[in-house]
Amino acid sequence: MKNSAIKLQSYAKGFVYFHPEVIRMLLLGFSAGLPYLLVMGTFSWLLKDAGISRTDIGFASWIGLAYSIKVLWSPLVDNLKIPLLHKWFGKRRSWLFVAQVGITLCLLAIATTDAGTHTARIIGFALATAFLAATQDIVVDAFRVESVDEKKQGAASAMYIMGYRLAMIAAGAGALMLANEETGGSWEFSYMVMALLMSVGLIGWLLSPEPPHVEKEIGTSELDHRVTNRLLKAVPNTQEKLRSFIQTSSISQHIVRAIISPFVDFIIRYRWWGLVVIAFIMAFRVSDLVLGVMTNVFYDDMGFSKDEVAKISKIYGLIMTIVGAFLGGIAVNRVNILKCLFTGSLLVMLTNLLFAYMASQPKSNELLIGVISIDNLAGGFAQGVLMAYFATLVNKEFTATQYALYTSLMTLPGKFLGGFSGADIDRWGYEFFFIYTAFLGIPAVILVMALMYRDKQLKLTGKE
């Protein structure tokens, strides 16, 4: 009996999902996932109920661009220490605390604002929520990369996605059920409950110790010296004041350290192949993101009720996404990550065609369940693998900035094109629109094949 218990304990310790640093990602993932739909998909239904046009709802989805441009302020999050809070909590935890409290207050503001009479105001609150949520993402991504070693990154990503998707069940299905007027609900009550659920994130914050991260004094890094010398060579000797500023000013050294060095480091490590990596990251989720903007509006136009969408798409569908993410985490631990990315990119592209087929058929709950099953399973797998891939690209000296760069580039094209989705549907109809989103996934498949070729060449030359 004792030997069996020891074996079970040893197995649990060896199972990658049982490590504390992996389990903590569940709570932090929940905290990150909760605001996303509340300013995107669920928010679009709130606007539709307030009488906002489909075209305007599509443009309002540009609120989500805050997630795509977070790289612009990621150097600030990566390097700035918040006064007082830094001493109490540490650099990463202090930023996380500020973001989580800010999101809670903004959700309460949305709850108490009428979208029909104060449309601009409620969009402003949604934009502030998205900005704070994107900031939270910067910090949580840094937490995950710095707290977990490379072999466990796939599992940590899967656990993070599980928390993220559970939050999306709450922010999707839960919010829709609470807003259902037929059962006495309202959008005001729904968003108040969502604000309360941010307490899960605060629990995650309390349980998560400050992760170990590389901190070097400004101007002491070899890379910083190289960047500074390059800048000096580019400035003529006659410009004495500018040269002096670059060489001696603390402001100049902060700019080099926080903004220039992270990007130079990426270029040095990948050279011109870095362009292929960047192009792949930008292309990987375009088809998925463009389709996702209008799915709630599509379900409503197909005749599905809020309860049907909540149960099938927001609960069952997100469970399938979690299953897909866990499969991705296991695959990354056992198979070459680029092969996993190729599989994921192909699946994401092809599953969009299922929506085109559904648009050509009469309303059917069985068909919706089938489409959601396959699409979300593929999407979860692809996202879990991609997040693990990002961790392999990061230099831990610039964790938050570089990871924010990758995730910003991942969503930027899709969010931008998604803003036109309402107008595209009005012009083409749903069936052709979904076919169009599938074709948007072709570049990702081609680019990951190029990266697989590079990987093969590196192995042959022994430069891996």
Side-chain angles (χ1 to χ4, degrees), residues 85-131:
L85 291 181
H86 165 259
K87 292 182 180 179
W88 298 337
F89 308 134
K91 185 168 72 174
R92 300 290 188 222
R93 295 183 76 241
S94 58
W95 273 104
L96 188 58
F97 177 78
V98 169
Q100 288 179 339
V101 171
I103 291 166
T104 303
L105 294 175
C106 285
L107 291 177
L108 288 172
I110 292 174
T112 54
T113 303
D114 183 84
T117 54
H118 301 290
T119 307
R121 187 185 301 174
I122 201 168
I123 287 176
F125 288 138
L127 185 60
T129 305
F131 171 79

Side-chain angles (χ1 to χ4, degrees), residues 36 67 137 161 164-165 168 278-293 321 341 344-345 348-349 352 375 378-384 386-387 390 406-407 409-415 417-418 437 440-445:
Y36 184 78
Y67 287 90
D137 279 4
I161 290 173
Y164 200 100
R165 296 298 175 172
M168 290 179 76
I278 293 298
F280 168 69
I281 290 170
M282 294 179 74
F284 189 79
R285 292 198 62 210
V286 170
S287 59
D288 193 29
L289 290 170
V290 174
L291 178 142
V293 170
T321 303
L341 286 169
S345 60
V348 167
M349 180 185 74
N352 281 24
D375 181 66
F381 177 89
Q383 189 177 352
L386 185 65
M387 291 174 67
F390 287 166
Y406 306 143
T407 53
L409 292 171
M410 174 188 70
T411 59
L412 183 58
K415 295 291 185 188
L417 291 175
T437 63
L440 289 175
I442 293 175
V445 176

Side-chain angles (χ1 to χ4, degrees), residues 72-305:
L72 298 179
W73 65 91
S74 62
L76 187 70
V77 178
D78 212 1
N79 293 274
L80 180 66
K81 297 175 181 178
I82 300 175
L84 294 179
L85 291 181
H86 165 259
K87 292 182 180 179
W88 298 337
F89 308 134
K91 185 168 72 174
R92 300 290 188 222
R93 295 183 76 241
S94 58
W95 273 104
L96 188 58
F97 177 78
V98 169
Q100 288 179 339
V101 171
I103 291 166
T104 303
L105 294 175
C106 285
L107 291 177
L108 288 172
I110 292 174
T112 54
T113 303
D114 183 84
T117 54
H118 301 290
T119 307
R121 187 185 301 174
I122 201 168
I123 287 176
F125 288 138
L127 185 60
T129 305
F131 171 79
L132 289 164
T135 302
Q136 180 184 219
D137 279 4
I138 295 170
V139 186
V140 173
D141 288 337
F143 252 96
R144 188 176 61 256
V145 174
E146 293 170 347
S147 302
V148 183
D149 64 51
E150 192 170 306
K151 273 291 182 183
K152 298 175 191 167
Q153 283 296 331
S157 298
M159 192 66 81
Y160 170 86
I161 290 173
M162 180 178 179
Y164 200 100
R165 296 298 175 172
L166 287 173
M168 290 179 76
I169 290 175
L176 291 178
M177 288 177 177
L178 293 171
N180 192 349
E181 293 178 359
E182 294 177 4
T183 56
S186 69
W187 285 114
E188 179 182 0
F189 177 65
S190 177
Y191 270 75
M192 282 186 173
V193 173
M194 295 302 110
L196 182 63
L197 284 179
M198 277 302 297
S199 60
V200 174
L202 286 168
I203 293 170
W205 170 78
L206 281 170
L207 295 177
S208 299
E210 180 73 2
H213 47 269
V214 178
E215 289 208 53
K216 293 188 177 180
E217 292 296 325
I218 298 297
T220 62
S221 165
E222 181 183 345
L223 180 60
D224 293 348
H225 284 306
R226 289 174 65 181
V227 171
T228 301
N229 289 335
R230 287 280 185 179
L231 290 173
L232 287 170
K233 286 180 181 179
V235 176
N237 291 330
T238 54
Q239 301 291 326
E240 293 181 9
K241 289 185 177 179
L242 180 57
R243 289 178 64 85
S244 176
F245 173 79
I246 293 171
Q247 202 163 14
T248 62
S249 169
S250 62
I251 296 174
S252 169
Q253 292 303 307
H254 274 86
I255 292 171
V256 168
R257 177 66 183 169
I259 300 173
I260 303 177
S261 288
F263 301 101
V264 171
D265 169 76
F266 177 80
I267 293 167
I268 289 172
R269 285 188 290 125
Y270 293 98
R271 301 192 180 278
W272 74 269
W273 273 102
L275 296 176
V276 180
V277 172
I278 293 298
F280 168 69
I281 290 170
M282 294 179 74
F284 189 79
R285 292 198 62 210
V286 170
S287 59
D288 193 29
L289 290 170
V290 174
L291 178 142
V293 170
M294 299 301 289
T295 49
N296 277 339
V297 178
F298 168 63
Y299 298 145
D300 190 44
D301 287 343
M302 285 286 289
F304 293 102
S305 68

